[in-house]
């Protein structure tokens, strides 16, 4: 009976040793994956930051073009008003010349 009992104890210790080894291997693998994930996260944050900066630059460029277009529209409105005034003056001059005749 003692021989069987020792064999059972040996099997339990063997199972515990294998369980310890497997647990350490799994933990080491998980640790490597965690490091890889952290590295990927840092790289992704850098990419996101670079894209964010580019978006800011693009938005500033778009705003600049919008301001230029607004300036052209204002000048176009001023030119149209000037043309209207010239047309009115021309009409008045023509009317006054007709009245003189």
């Amino acid at each position: 009976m003692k021989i069987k009992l020792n064999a059972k104890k040996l099997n339990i210790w063997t199972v515990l040793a294998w369980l310890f080894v497997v647990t350490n291997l799994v933990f080491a693998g998980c640790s490597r994956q965690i490091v890889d994930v952290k590295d990927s996260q840092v790289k992704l944050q850098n990419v996101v930051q670079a894209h964010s900066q580019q978006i800011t630059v693009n938005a500033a460029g778009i705003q600049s073009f919008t301001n230029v277009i607004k300036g052209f529209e204002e000048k176009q409105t001023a030119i149209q008003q000037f043309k209207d005034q010239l047309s009115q003056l021309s009409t008045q001059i023509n009317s006054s010349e007709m009245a003189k005749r």
Side-chain angles (χ1 to χ4, degrees), residues 12-98:
I12 289 172
W13 285 111
T14 303
V15 168
L16 287 175
W18 276 110
L19 185 62
F20 178 77
V21 168
V22 169
T23 302
N24 282 336
L25 290 174
V26 168
F27 180 75
C30 290
S31 294
R32 268 185 260 127
Q33 287 180 343
I34 288 171
V35 168
D36 290 345
V37 167
K38 286 182 180 180
D39 288 344
S40 296
Q41 182 182 11
V42 168
K43 289 176 184 175
L44 182 60
Q45 285 173 340
N46 291 340
V47 169
V48 168
Q49 183 179 8
H51 284 292
S52 177
Q53 290 171 347
Q54 187 60 46
I55 288 169
T56 301
V57 168
N58 291 348
I62 290 170
Q63 185 61 45
S64 176
F65 282 126
T66 301
N67 292 342
V68 168
I69 290 170
K70 283 181 182 177
F72 284 144
E73 288 173 345
E74 290 169 359
K75 288 178 182 177
Q76 185 179 11
T77 301
I79 289 170
Q80 186 60 47
Q81 289 173 354
F82 183 70
K83 284 181 178 180
D84 291 344
Q85 289 173 354
L86 285 178
S87 178
Q88 289 173 356
L89 285 174
S90 176
T91 302
Q92 289 173 0
I93 290 170
N94 287 338
S95 294
S96 104
E97 285 182 5
M98 294 286 260

